[in-house]
Amino acid sequence: MCSNWLTRLNRHNRRLDPDIDDNQQLHRTPRMTHPIIRFDHATFGFPGTVALEDISLSIPESEFVGVIGPNGSGKTTLCRAVLGLMAPVSGTLRVLDCACEELRCHHRALIGYLPQKGMLDRNFPVTVLEAVMMGRYGALGLFRRPSGKDRDIARQALAQVGMDHHRDSALGALSGGQQQRVFIARALAQQPRILLLDEPTTGLDLTAQHSVVELIEQLHHELKLTILMITHDINMIRSRVDRLVLLKTRLFAAGPPQDVLKPEILSQVYGKELVITDKDLIIVEDYHHHH
Amino acid sequence: MLRASRLRETMLELLAYDFMQRSLLAAALVGAVCSVIGVFVVLRGLAFAGAGTAHAAFAGVTLAYLLGLPPLSLAIVFGLATVWITGWVEEKGRMKLDVSIGILYTATMALAILFLGLMKTYNPEVYGYLFGSVLSVTTEELLTIGGLSIVVLGTILLLSKELYFIAFDQEMAAASGVPARQIFYLLLTLVALTVVIALKTVGAILVFAMILIPASTAYQLTHSLTQMTLYSVLIGIFCAVTGVLLSYAFDLPSGPSIVLLATSLFFLAVCCSPKRLHRIQAE
Ligand SMILES: Nc1ncnc2c1ncn2[C@@H]1O[C@H](COP(=O)(O)OP(=O)(O)OP(=O)(O)O)[C@@H](O)[C@H]1O
Ligand SMILES: [Mg+2]
C-alpha cells in the first residue's frame, strides 16, 4: 500500500508541477545534495518587530526536522515563510526551487500544512470527508470539480491516519486528537512533498500525543516526505527527528538532537531554569516545587 | 375546511395575474440568491458587513434619485465600495471589524438621510427601496434581477469549492494553494451584488435578514456543507414565495411577511436543532 501511495504521489506531482522534469521526479528521493528549502541570511518581520533574523538553513529532501524554541521565537513565522505567506525583509528563502515571494498556488499545493490553532468552531457544518477533500482543492485549480479520483485520494489519506471509518462524522463532534488526525489527512490529501506541522501535539492527552507523533514518524518513513515539525515537547521528538533546529528569533543551533540538546546551548535560549536530569529528560524547573 | 379551499381558489386566481407571476418569480430568485450567498456569509462571519452594505446601497439609491440616475447603478457603486473597504479593514486588522463597520454603517445611513432631505419633494418610490415592494416589480426590474442572479449563482457554482474553503479557514486555503485573497474579495463583491438584487423586493432594512436567516436556519440542521447549502436554498425560496402569497392574501407588506416567516422557521429550527439537542444531552 505504501509503495502504491508513493507512485501515485510521484505521478501526481509530475502532472502538477511542469517546472520539474520527469527525470528529477523519479530520482528525487535520494537527492540529498539539493535542498528543497533553503534560507540564506533571511530576515522576516512584522511592522515594528523582527520575528526571524538572519536565518541560514538548508533542508534536503526527505529530512525530518524538529523545530524548537520558546514562545514568540518565530517558529510559526518559519512555517508561514516556507509557505510563501511572508516575504523576507532581507536575504532569500528558496522553496521547491522558487523564491518564496514568488511561490505560486501550484507550489503551495505541494506543501501540506497543519496550522497551530486547532478547530475554530465546533459547530461548523463540515463532515470529516468534506474537510479532507479541501486538501485537494488547491491542487485541482479553479473551476475544476473534484472527481472520484480525488475522493479516493482523500479516503486513502483518511485511512493512513486511521480515520476512514469516521468519514461521515461531523468534524466538530470529534475529539482534539481525532481532529488533529483529520487535519493531517487533509495535508496528506494534497499529496505534498513538504509537510509543515505547527505543534501537532499541543492540547492532546498523552496517549493521543504519542499516537500522533508515531503517525508522523510512520508517514516520514513510508512517504519519504520532507517534514518540518514544530513542538515544545523536546523529549518526545528527540529520538525521532534527523535534525533539531533551535530558534529564538535567530538560529541558535541546527544539527543532530544529541548535539543541540546540550545544557550550554539550551540555556542560551531557555534561560537557567532548564534542567537536564540524569535520565536525560529535559525539564523546566518550576520554582514552586524545589526538590 | 371551507377556508382552506377558498384560500386555494384565491391562490389559483392570483397566479393568473401578470403582476403576481412577476412578483413570485422575483421573490423566488431573490430567495435563492440570498440564501446561497448567505451560506458563505454566515460561515465566513461576514453577517454584520452585509448589513452595512445594504444601508450603503440605499444611500446609493437616494443619491441616484437626487441626480436623476438609474437607482440601481449607484446602489452597486456604494455597495461595492462599502464591502471592499470592510474586507480591506479585516485584512489589515488595524481596527476591530465591528467598529469599522459600525462607523461605515451609520455614515452611509447619515448620507442616505441627507440625500432624502435634499430632495425637495416626497418621493414614495425611494421608500420602496427602504421597505421593499415586491408586488410592484416591473418587467425591466425583473430582467435586472434575473441577469444579476445568473451572474451571482453562476459564479458561486463555478467557484464553490474555493468559497467553501475560505469560509472554513482562509489562511489554510491560502497555504494549500487556493488564491484565497482574490476569492475573499470576490465573495464580498457577490454579497454587494446580492444586496442590490434584493433591494427592491425586500428593501434595504430587511435584505440582510434574507441573506442571514435561511442560511442560519440551515446551519442548525446539518453537519454537512453541501446539505447546509441545499437546505438554505429550499428555505429561502419557500419563505420568499410563501411570504409574497401571504402578503397578498392578507394585505400585508411583502418584506416583513417574508422575513417574519423566515424568522419563525429559524426559531423552530433552533428548538429542534439536532446539534443543540446533542449538546444538551452531552451536558
Ligand atoms: N500577525 C502578527 N503581527 C505582528 N507580529 C506578529 C504576528 N505574528 C507573530 N508576530 C510576532 O512575531 C514573533 C514570532 O511569532 P511566532 O508566532 O512565529 O512565534 P512562535 O515561535 O510560533 O511562538 P509560539 O510558541 O507561542 O507559537 C513574535 O514576537 C510575535 O510577536
Ligand atoms: Mg507558533
Side-chain angles (χ1 to χ4, degrees), chain B residues 170-187:
Chain B
Q170 186 164 338
E171 165 137 331
M172 194 53 225
S176 62
V178 168
R181 196 167 164 255
Q182 289 87 328
I183 299 283
F184 176 57
Y185 277 93
L186 182 77
L187 174 60

Side-chain angles (χ1 to χ4, degrees), chain A residues 46 49 51 69-77 116 199 232:
Chain A
F46 298 92
T49 19
N71 291 133
S73 57
K75 302 182 298 297
T76 300
T77 307
Q116 178 168 12
E199 301 191 19
H232 290 292

Side-chain angles (χ1 to χ4, degrees), chain B:
Chain B
M1 269 326 282
L2 195 70
R3 256 189 140 187
S5 69
R6 259 217 353 247
L7 194 66
R8 208 172 61 213
E9 266 171 44
T10 327
M11 293 289 160
L12 288 176
E13 266 170 47
L14 272 179
L15 292 175
Y17 291 120
D18 264 3
F19 84 91
M20 202 62 205
Q21 290 171 359
R22 272 200 308 270
S23 25
L24 284 178
L25 193 56
L29 277 174
V30 167
V33 176
C34 286
S35 52
V36 175
I37 199 81
V39 170
F40 302 100
V41 167
V42 166
L43 295 180
R44 182 61 182 72
L46 291 171
F48 199 35
T53 313
H55 289 77
F58 180 66
V61 169
T62 53
L63 183 61
Y65 270 101
L66 203 57
L67 302 177
L69 296 170
L72 290 189
S73 61
L74 287 189
I76 290 189
V77 172
F78 272 59
L80 284 178
T82 314
V83 91
W84 285 338
I85 293 174
T86 311
W88 182 77
V89 169
E90 198 208 51
E91 196 173 65
K92 293 293 161 210
R94 299 245 171 86
M95 212 189 292
K96 271 192 151 179
L97 196 61
D98 52 353
V99 174
S100 66
I101 295 169
I103 291 169
L104 270 178
Y105 184 16
T106 42
T108 48
M109 209 50 209
L111 273 182
I113 297 167
L114 180 75
F115 296 145
L116 280 175
L118 289 176
M119 285 178 212
K120 293 291 173 261
T121 53
Y122 172 79
N123 190 339
E125 266 182 61
V126 181
Y127 292 92
Y129 286 94
L130 196 54
F131 300 119
S133 53
V134 68
L135 295 177
S136 66
V137 168
T138 64
T139 309
E140 290 110 77
E141 282 166 343
L142 186 60
L143 285 176
T144 316
I145 293 175
L148 287 174
S149 302
I150 290 171
V151 171
V152 173
L153 290 176
T155 314
I156 292 176
L157 214 60
L158 282 175
L159 294 168
S160 58
K161 68 183 198 306
E162 284 79 12
L163 287 165
Y164 280 131
F165 203 169
I166 67 155
F168 184 50
D169 188 341
Q170 186 164 338
E171 165 137 331
M172 194 53 225
S176 62
V178 168
R181 196 167 164 255
Q182 289 87 328
I183 299 283
F184 176 57
Y185 277 93
L186 182 77
L187 174 60
L188 292 172
T189 307
L190 293 177
V191 170
L193 286 181
T194 306
V195 164
V196 170
I197 293 171
L199 210 52
K200 183 67 193 278
T201 31
V202 268
I205 296 180
L206 298 181
V207 55
F208 222 65
M210 271 315 284
I211 295 183
L212 216 52
I213 301 175
S216 315
T217 310
Y219 183 94
Q220 300 295 326
L221 299 177
T222 172
H223 293 299
S224 151
L225 277 174
T226 39
Q227 273 177 30
M228 175 177 168
T229 316
L230 186 70
Y231 291 172
S232 179
V233 177
L234 291 178
I235 294 167
I237 296 179
F238 170 79
C239 290
V241 170
T242 315
V244 169
L245 291 174
L246 287 177
S247 92
Y248 188 81
F250 298 100
D251 197 18
L252 303 167
S254 57
S257 313
I258 297 173
V259 170
L260 290 177
L261 182 64
T263 312
S264 335
L265 278 188
F266 173 74
F267 282 115
L268 197 67
V270 170
C271 296
C272 310
S273 160
K275 289 184 185 174
R276 218 177 75 93
L277 295 179
H278 204 74
R279 216 173 308 139
I280 291 171
Q281 270 168 10
E283 270 162 17

Side-chain angles (χ1 to χ4, degrees), chain A residues 187-207:
Chain A
L188 289 177
Q190 279 178 240
Q191 302 189 315
R193 291 172 63 189
I194 302 172
L195 201 53
L196 304 175
L197 305 164
D198 198 347
E199 301 191 19
T201 57
T202 299
L204 306 188
D205 69 40
L206 275 179
T207 341

